[in-house]
Amino acid sequence: MQASESQRAVAAATSIALSLGLSADDAIVLHDSNKLTLRLLPCDAVARVAPAAHQVAQFEVDLAQRLAHLGCPVAALEPRVEPGVYERDGFVVTFWTYYEPATSREISAACYAAALNRLHAGMRQLDVSAPHFTERIDSAQRLVASPASTPALVDADRKLLGDTLRELRREIGERGGEQLLHGEPHPGNVLSTENGVLFIDLETCCRGPIEFDLAHAPEEVGAHYPGVNKDVLRKCRILVLAMITAWRWDEGDQLPDGRLLGTEWLSQLRAALDSQESG
């Protein structure tokens, strides 16, 4: 978020927390992207704050409750307040449990894979309406196809991204075998806690092959996950790389060093495609 927007977001979160009986004299920013994640002190609760116009907070709250009920490895809602979505000053706020990090924050590939497998098993038990993973590909394709949205992207790179997204969308989409997914279970959305490995940020939930989720995890995790189609996983890794590269060239992208990453990832994408062709 922009600095001025962040200040308002923090004020909204602390104000709501106080009205709910949570002491919130201080707020530590844990993560700042399209939403703000705060650790409120001294109550030691986590507040997630997003602009009201761009959020799916109620979906995330409902899904987290259902998955927790099934014993899935997900972060729990804050038990001292009623579960729900609170709105103030153009922001929506949800409250979550704060977990102290484990003594060793490193998560082994085997533990990562086991936790993700448990999450997927729980998700298969739910009947939840969620977008298809190809909608995310479509969003990246629209960016790449619009010079007005991605003016710094040169023609050769635009063609590379467009062709890659289109071809992999078709190839992976024809595979079938889909289920409810986390959507972005990368290390930034995984906590190593004394309670074990826990997944956060369920707003990205979608439907697709399990390999799409595994493509967001470190490469060695896939080797420990049962029943993986290695060819589909390899294609999903290239697909995810193409998508995140496209987003970095968005004129409105706010990720620090986003353009530098976009350039670096274009080189990685070419290398991955060359390796696939030679293999």
Side-chain angles (χ1 to χ4, degrees), residues 188-199:
N189 285 333
V190 183
L191 303 179
S192 175
T193 78
E194 298 298 337
N195 298 65
V197 176
L198 299 175
F199 290 91

Side-chain angles (χ1 to χ4, degrees), residues 66 70 120-127:
R66 297 178 68 179
L70 292 171
H120 285 160
M123 286 180 154
R124 283 194 290 273
Q125 299 181 53
L126 300 180
D127 182 14

Side-chain angles (χ1 to χ4, degrees), residues 178-226:
E178 300 174 350
Q179 69 152 81
L180 196 64
L181 303 174
H182 179 285
E184 289 186 2
H186 55 68
N189 285 333
V190 183
L191 303 179
S192 175
T193 78
E194 298 298 337
N195 298 65
V197 176
L198 299 175
F199 290 91
I200 60 173
D201 204 354
L202 298 169
E203 69 171 6
T204 55
C205 179
C206 61
R207 289 194 172 275
I210 58 168
E211 289 83 2
F212 183 74
D213 258 4
L214 283 165
H216 290 81
E219 191 165 348
E220 58 272 19
V221 173
H224 295 271
Y225 194 103

Side-chain angles (χ1 to χ4, degrees), residues 244-245 247-250 253-265:
I244 63 175
T245 301
W247 296 333
R248 297 292 73 82
W249 291 92
D250 184 355
D253 184 46
Q254 296 182 18
L255 189 71
D257 298 322
R259 194 56 49 81
L260 186 64
L261 286 172
T263 301
E264 178 183 332
W265 290 344

